[in-house]
Amino acid sequence: SIVPVIAAAARVALPGEAVPIAPVQLVGKGVNHFSGFVTFPQAGDWTLEVIVEVTAGETALVKTTIPIP
């Protein structure tokens, strides 16, 4: 069975530009399901990071690049 995670957080950044790291508000939609909304203010290769607190004191980071034309 799937063990519920404690929490999840997300953030976006545009490396190489003067755009600071911005948090993304995530809303719990059920066990291990989260939803959020991001508006990208400019084109570029944005980095999305999702940090999951798997258990107390144990986190996992998932990172990807999102190209915005």
Side-chain angles (χ1 to χ4, degrees):
S1 79
I2 297 175
V3 177
V5 299
I6 294 174
R11 58 190 177 211
V12 294
L14 185 57
E17 297 291 331
V19 179
I21 294 172
V24 176
Q25 183 177 358
L26 296 180
V27 177
K29 296 290 187 177
V31 178
N32 293 344
H33 289 80
F34 298 87
S35 177
F37 182 81
V38 177
T39 299
F40 296 98
Q42 68 185 65
D45 289 332
W46 287 80
T47 300
L48 168 66
E49 297 181 340
V50 179
I51 305 97
V52 178
E53 187 175 2
V54 181
T55 61
E58 179 186 4
T59 59
L61 172 68
V62 179
K63 182 176 174 178
T64 190
T65 300
I66 302 172
I68 302 297

